Amino acid sequence: MTSELQEALCDRLTKTHTIWHSCDILLGSFVVARLGVILSFFLERRLYRVHKSLIFWLLLLSFLSLVVLYSASYSATQSWFSKQIVRLVLGWSSFFLAALTSVRWWWHWSYVLYGLSLALLVGVELLGFVGMGAKRWIHLGVIQLQPSEFIKVTVILALARYFHTLPPTFASWRQQLFVPLILILLPILLILKQPDLGTAIILGLVSLTIFWQAGVSLWFFSLGFSVFCLSCPVLWCFLRDYQKQRILSFLDPQCDPLNSGYHVLQSQIALGSGGLTGKGFLQGTQSHLGFVPEKQTDFIFALWCEEWGFRGACILVTLYILLMTTCLRITYRAQTLFHRLVAVGMTSLIFFHTFINIAMVTGLCPVVGIPLPFLSYGGTALLSLMLACGCLMMVHVFHNEHIS
């Protein structure tokens, strides 16, 4: 009888323990489920507000990037196509991370991000390595970074925050100009020392666009333009020999067709040989036979036009115009000065990249080594441009969020 009571008691205890264990599991599952619901609710609210057109144009350009890089890799020893897939995944991850991060976070950390980017530029001078004749990259473990690409984005954020904090009516010209010029000149001087003239030019143009949008007096632009024109003979003396040759070749490409004028002449031959409809996919002779230099990066537009012709060039330029139009619509909806300056800065960054690259390939400006946004093969450049588009999307998603 005693043994039967013991067995019954043990059975009851086992059932009770099982019930409590099941309750714990159910309670834990309920808590996790509720946290998941809350997190998904906030993400869905933010994802619901994203600009569909911006994502569509970027997706289309990403697809065309894979198409043209597959062609570039077809007759090459390196697989730019497969590497670009990985870099696009990282780029899109940075895009959504920036787009879904609150504008107040970017406001709060803008100066810190600028300082970190500037520290990386200094690190290039101390620890960087030389590649393709310039000291622009730095090793960070298993990856290589080009800090001059990230400084473009962080300078925009820092300038936007500074101009936002200025009093709207009582700011003196020293307040308007002194600190912003310091924020711009420090990275530009470090970039010119690498040397990287193209990135320095884009950083200067983007900064001037922000100055204009922030309401800086027109006399500053007039005075700056006059000083630049008068100092051109002096600036010429500071240019490196290959930079001088590129400018002379721009004025007369036939003066050195096998050296400094080679890039432009071969790209123009590729552009012209494409005709109206192009030679066809994987059929570009100038590109696949190695005549067009840097066909996967700076001169990828020449490869595209050779295979798809004038019609393909018009389609690609139209895509960039539609992307710019979408960016301007986001800028128009900005509610605060910080929102507007960030949007204007990121839009001008994409515009100047696109304009200078196409002008360079077609011979309308000297060769300065600027990749074509979202189409060229690249790591840090692609990541920084996707981050810039993410900041644009952030302005759209949080356009009603005010900064205290």
Side-chain angles (χ1 to χ4, degrees):
M1 187 69 179
T2 304
S3 60
E4 292 179 357
L5 287 174
Q6 289 178 348
E7 290 178 1
L9 183 60
C10 290
D11 185 54
R12 179 61 60 86
L13 290 173
T14 302
K15 290 180 179 180
T16 303
H17 177 73
T18 304
I19 292 172
W20 278 109
H21 183 65
S22 301
C23 291
D24 289 339
I25 294 175
L26 290 174
L27 182 61
S29 301
F30 175 77
V31 172
V32 171
R34 295 306 299 171
L35 289 175
V37 169
I38 295 172
L39 181 61
S40 63
F41 173 73
F42 283 108
L43 287 178
E44 285 175 7
R45 285 186 62 189
R46 295 182 179 183
L47 288 173
Y48 180 76
R49 297 199 299 261
V50 298
H51 204 295
K52 283 32 172 219
S53 298
L54 180 60
I55 293 179
F56 177 75
W57 302 130
L58 289 176
L59 280 173
L60 199 52
L61 287 171
S62 298
F63 171 74
L64 294 181
S65 171
L66 293 178
V67 170
V68 70
L69 284 174
Y70 180 84
S71 176
S73 304
Y74 186 70
S75 58
T77 56
Q78 299 189 49
S79 180
W80 297 307
F81 172 78
S82 58
K83 293 180 181 178
Q84 185 75 350
I85 293 176
V86 177
R87 295 176 178 189
L88 280 172
V89 170
L90 294 175
W92 277 99
S93 300
S94 67
F95 169 82
F96 282 107
L97 182 64
L100 301 179
T101 302
S102 172
V103 68
R104 292 176 182 172
W105 187 93
W106 290 106
W107 157 269
H108 185 267
W109 293 99
S110 56
Y111 288 154
V112 177
L113 294 173
Y114 171 82
L116 290 174
S117 302
L118 197 63
L120 286 174
L121 277 179
V122 175
V124 170
E125 293 298 319
L126 301 176
L127 305 172
F129 64 95
V130 177
M132 301 179 65
K135 194 176 183 181
R136 304 174 186 172
W137 292 268
I138 186 172
H139 279 291
L140 292 178
V142 296
I143 61 173
Q144 298 175 3
L145 286 182
Q146 189 177 353
S148 58
E149 295 294 338
F150 288 119
I151 198 71
K152 300 173 188 175
V153 177
T154 57
V155 161
I156 294 171
L157 293 170
L159 288 176
R161 175 172 176 176
Y162 179 79
F163 281 117
H164 182 89
T165 56
L166 285 181
T169 55
F170 300 101
S172 65
W173 67 270
R174 294 181 182 85
Q175 288 178 305
Q176 278 193 328
L177 297 177
F178 182 73
V179 175
L181 285 176
I182 294 297
L183 291 174
I184 297 166
L185 290 176
L186 284 176
I188 285 181
L189 292 175
L190 288 171
I191 291 170
L192 287 174
K193 196 175 184 304
Q194 293 179 356
D196 190 355
L197 183 61
T199 300
I201 290 174
I202 284 187
L203 192 57
L205 291 173
V206 170
S207 301
L208 288 176
T209 305
I210 295 177
F211 273 44
W212 166 71
Q213 190 64 29
V216 174
S217 178
L218 289 178
W219 73 262
F220 166 75
F221 296 96
S222 302
L223 179 62
F225 182 73
S226 302
V227 171
F228 173 76
C229 293
L230 293 175
S231 60
C232 279
V234 179
L235 295 175
W236 176 265
C237 299
F238 286 95
L239 292 178
R240 296 173 183 261
D241 291 337
Y242 78 91
Q243 293 171 340
K244 295 178 181 178
Q245 283 299 119
R246 285 182 176 180
I247 295 175
L248 294 175
S249 298
F250 162 68
L251 298 174
D252 182 14
Q254 298 293 340
C255 68
D256 192 7
L258 297 180
N259 192 10
S260 58
Y262 181 81
H263 293 69
V264 176
L265 288 175
Q266 294 301 322
S267 67
Q268 289 177 341
I269 292 172
L271 290 169
S273 64
L276 180 62
T277 58
K279 296 180 178 179
F281 185 52
L282 305 179
Q283 303 301 318
T285 54
Q286 284 293 118
S287 305
H288 292 297
L289 293 179
F291 291 103
V292 177
E294 302 300 328
K295 60 184 178 181
Q296 79 283 4
T297 53
D298 298 344
F299 288 86
I300 198 168
F301 186 70
L303 169 60
W304 172 266
C305 292
E306 184 182 17
E307 295 191 345
W308 301 98
F310 180 73
R311 181 174 58 186
C314 291
I315 292 173
L316 186 61
V317 171
T318 302
L319 285 178
Y320 280 111
I321 292 175
L322 292 172
L323 176 63
M324 291 294 106
T325 304
T326 303
C327 295
L328 290 175
R329 288 172 60 190
I330 293 175
T331 303
Y332 179 76
R333 293 191 62 192
Q335 299 294 319
T336 68
L337 183 60
F338 180 76
H339 286 79
R340 187 168 74 250
L341 292 183
V342 169
V344 167
M346 302 305 175
T347 302
S348 62
L349 176 63
I350 299 169
F351 169 77
F352 286 124
H353 260 278
T354 306
F355 177 80
I356 292 177
N357 178 271
I358 294 178
M360 174 187 71
V361 172
T362 54
L364 298 178
C365 78
V367 177
V368 289
I370 298 296
L372 188 59
F374 316 113
L375 211 72
S376 294
Y377 172 79
T380 313
L382 176 63
L383 197 63
S384 64
L385 287 169
M386 291 299 292
L387 188 63
C389 288
C391 290
L392 265 169
M393 184 67 79
M394 174 269 296
V395 170
H396 175 76
V397 172
F398 300 97
H399 69 276
N400 286 325
E401 183 174 328
H402 293 280
I403 303 168
S404 58

